[in-house]
Amino acid sequence: MPLQPQAGQPAGGRRINSQLAIIVAAVVAIALIVGGGLWYANSSDDDGKKDTANSGGGTGGGGDEKGGTGGTGSKGEEKVPANTAASVLFQVPQPEVKADTTITVNGSWLTDTVYAKSGIAEVVGYDPDKGTEKWTIKLPGPVCAASRQMTDKHLTAIAYEPAMPTKEKPTAGCSQVSAIDLDAGKQLWTKTAKAGDRLIPWDNVTVSANTVATGSTSGGAAWDITTGKSLWTPKPTDSCYDSGYGGGAKLVAVRKCGDYDARQLHIQTIDPASGKVISEYKMSQGIEYASIVSTEPLVVAAEVGEDTGASGISDVFSIDNKTGKLRTRISLPGDEYAARCDGIYRPEYCFRIAVGNDRLYVPTEEHQGAGSDYSRTNEIVAFDLGTGKQTGQRADAGDGYTISPLRMDGGNLIAYKRPPYDKGGQIVSIDGGTFKETKLLENPATEAVRDVETSMSPESSEFIYHDGRLFMSEVYASDFGSSTGEKEYLAIAFGAK
């Protein structure tokens, strides 16, 4: 199952253009932490398995079931707890970070026995109900990229640095790739790849079928997740290279061709075992970055032209991944919709957007609510992936709340409601046909708990909801708390009573 993000910027705020984001990425990362937002969520629960959930980074994700013409899909597996009022199951304090330092802590996953979370140069497995540590995998450097997907045997992959950053050398390069058995807490293997005589620093990593695929500006590589055997390495040409991949139900490559000012992106559905291209869609020339919202059905997001309100997504492309033909194109102007994608380096990281029932679910931008002048709210709306038109379905957040799609649960949509100042957040299930909302979980409204909850945002933090439990975690750790005296948390878990 996936996890997901929500709006982290101030009400009515504008989001940064992806071109500018290249320049200010580090500043934005710290600002998100300071401002109380960080994301993430998507799941590899492609077959509706009860025991798998992970942080995949965006909402959506492959493998969601298509419904019939009514768009209802199959019924979801999430049940309404006898008491939806949640309590805090456990909190994981943020590890100590040196002054003026920000460390990446990407990655969180949930199986039926373990909640796993990346810490500072480690991955730790916790009891999902008690928070007691079950195992720890120590690493020489920070986890810089983490797959949002896992196999049905709960194997996943990470990329990490071979050493800790220093003042003289802020990064050691994201060159190491490992497969991890999440249930056993074992590091199965570690691999690197070279471009010439230099190790390739990986920008992203994902899992599809039994394959680990990594991408970068130097090209991609793939290994067998169980054995570490090299499966295929797409050869960069003078003008093309695989910059990244989307995993899950299918494996989709974002292949970049041409010079920077005349780029053309090839969206390729490929065979995970052999790397053979099954189908290909060529995007219009000039689009520099694309993100994989879902691999089955294939849905791609891109920021097209100059949309100052967009954050990596202004248009969505629904593609037939058997033929490579465009089904439809959906416009999502940044001043109207609040989905977000990080397609610059991590094509699989989309937040506040989900795909299921052959529909695209996105939140609207925040607007004034029915209460005071300071009250903000928004809605989730649905688009048909065959016609590109809105279906007329609309789920209201409620006054003072803002709502974000997290993932699909069969034919139902799981969403998170970020709370107003005097309430706790909620998890709701939205019926794929009627769009009726059913509350599954409501977090405590006490100020101390709410402060921790709202310090994390589905727009930038990792959210996983499954079986009456909500796990929220950061993707950056910094020394901000030490300078303010506030206690910082790496993760917090809520559970129905």
Side-chain angles (χ1 to χ4, degrees):
M1 301 184 173
L3 85 168
Q4 184 91 15
Q6 143 151 17
Q9 67 260 22
R14 303 287 282 179
R15 288 164 290 160
I16 9 180
N17 180 280
S18 62
Q19 305 269 342
L20 178 62
I22 302 175
I23 303 172
V24 300
V27 178
V28 170
I30 297 171
L32 283 170
I33 297 170
V34 174
L38 279 188
W39 149 69
Y40 220 121
N42 185 12
S43 133
S44 63
D45 190 11
D46 301 317
D47 299 315
K49 297 178 179 62
K50 296 181 181 179
D51 58 350
T52 61
N54 73 348
S55 69
T59 51
D64 297 322
E65 297 183 48
K66 289 187 181 182
T69 55
T72 57
S74 65
K75 291 184 178 180
E77 294 181 339
E78 298 292 350
K79 306 301 181 185
V80 180
N83 185 351
T84 59
S87 60
V88 176
L89 297 177
F90 61 89
Q91 296 170 322
V92 180
Q94 179 186 279
E96 185 176 346
V97 179
K98 293 181 180 179
D100 302 319
T101 301
T102 298
I103 304 292
T104 58
V105 286
N106 285 312
S108 59
W109 306 266
L110 179 66
T111 76
D112 53 350
T113 60
V114 171
Y115 169 68
K117 172 62 190 164
S118 295
I120 296 178
E122 65 182 8
V123 180
V124 181
Y126 302 90
D127 182 290
D129 293 310
K130 302 175 183 177
T132 52
E133 293 188 16
K134 303 185 71 171
W135 51 257
T136 300
I137 297 173
K138 292 292 186 180
L139 303 167
V143 176
C144 35
S147 172
R148 290 182 158 188
Q149 316 294 340
M150 69 175 85
T151 70
D152 57 2
K153 294 183 179 179
H154 306 157
L155 308 184
T156 192
I158 58 172
Y160 59 93
E161 298 184 37
M164 291 298 293
T166 64
K167 187 174 182 180
E168 296 74 24
K169 193 174 183 180
T171 176
C174 192
S175 58
Q176 315 293 302
V177 178
S178 283
I180 293 176
D181 183 327
L182 293 169
D183 287 329
K186 292 183 179 180
Q187 193 171 1
L188 301 179
W189 49 260
T190 299
K191 300 291 181 179
T192 61
K194 289 186 175 181
D197 59 351
R198 294 186 178 184
L199 290 176
I200 295 176
W202 304 110
D203 295 324
N204 50 78
V205 60
T206 194
V207 171
S208 180
N210 209 46
T211 295
V212 175
T214 57
S216 74
T217 54
S218 299
W223 296 272
D224 183 282
I225 197 168
T226 304
T227 65
K229 176 184 176 182
S230 177
L231 296 178
W232 43 268
T233 303
K235 302 299 183 189
T237 65
D238 290 340
S239 59
C240 293
Y241 63 92
D242 283 14
S243 65
Y245 302 92
K250 304 283 186 181
L251 185 61
V252 176
V254 178
R255 188 166 178 83
K256 294 190 175 185
C257 296
D259 297 329
Y260 179 83
D261 56 351
R263 187 89 70 200
Q264 186 173 45
L265 303 183
H266 299 192
I267 308 300
Q268 299 176 332
T269 299
I270 58 182
D271 176 26
S274 67
K276 178 182 177 181
V277 177
I278 297 171
S279 67
E280 179 180 72
Y281 172 73
K282 295 181 180 180
M283 304 191 76
S284 300
Q285 194 171 25
I287 298 176
E288 293 292 336
Y289 308 102
S291 299
I292 310 300
V293 179
S294 167
T295 60
E296 177 61 24
L298 180 53
V299 178
V300 176
E303 188 171 338
V304 181
E306 295 296 326
D307 185 340
T308 56
S311 185
I313 171 174
S314 65
D315 293 80
V316 166
F317 301 77
S318 174
I319 302 166
D320 186 323
N321 55 13
K322 293 181 180 179
T323 64
K325 294 182 178 180
L326 180 69
R327 298 177 65 198
T328 190
R329 177 172 171 175
I330 300 169
S331 176
L332 298 175
D335 59 351
E336 297 179 29
Y337 301 98
R340 171 179 174 261
C341 290
D342 179 14
I344 298 174
Y345 297 114
R346 303 181 294 179
E348 199 174 47
Y349 282 26
C350 285
F351 318 110
R352 307 188 72 190
I353 187 169
V355 172
N357 302 320
D358 209 30
R359 283 158 169 70
L360 178 76
Y361 300 102
V362 293
T364 64
E365 276 286 10
E366 295 178 20
H367 55 81
Q368 185 171 328
S372 69
D373 292 341
Y374 301 102
S375 176
R376 309 295 295 179
T377 190
N378 76 327
E379 301 80 31
I380 290 176
V381 297
F383 290 85
D384 188 295
L385 289 174
T387 65
K389 297 180 179 180
Q390 283 200 35
T391 64
Q393 295 166 310
R394 193 177 191 90
D396 295 326
D399 197 40
Y401 292 89
T402 51
I403 191 169
S404 299
L406 294 185
R407 63 170 175 86
M408 300 304 297
D409 172 34
N412 298 333
L413 175 66
I414 302 297
Y416 170 73
K417 289 187 176 184
R418 188 175 176 90
Y421 73 93
D422 58 347
K423 299 185 186 310
Q426 297 179 2
I427 293 291
V428 296
S429 176
I430 302 172
D431 186 277
T434 65
F435 245 48
K436 177 184 177 182
E437 296 180 35
T438 301
K439 183 168 65 176
L440 300 177
L441 196 74
E442 183 165 15
N443 293 335
T446 60
E447 183 177 1
V449 174
R450 194 173 62 250
D451 284 349
V452 179
E453 176 179 2
T454 56
S455 72
M456 303 183 195
S457 161
E459 184 172 87
S460 49
S461 300
E462 298 173 340
F463 281 42
I464 302 175
Y465 177 80
H466 178 56
D467 195 23
R469 297 172 300 192
L470 172 63
F471 303 85
M472 305 167 66
S473 64
E474 300 282 17
V475 293
Y476 293 99
S478 76
D479 66 333
F480 170 70
S482 61
S483 63
T484 63
E486 297 179 8
K487 191 168 184 178
E488 297 293 300
Y489 292 92
L490 181 67
I492 184 169
F494 300 94
K497 295 180 181 179

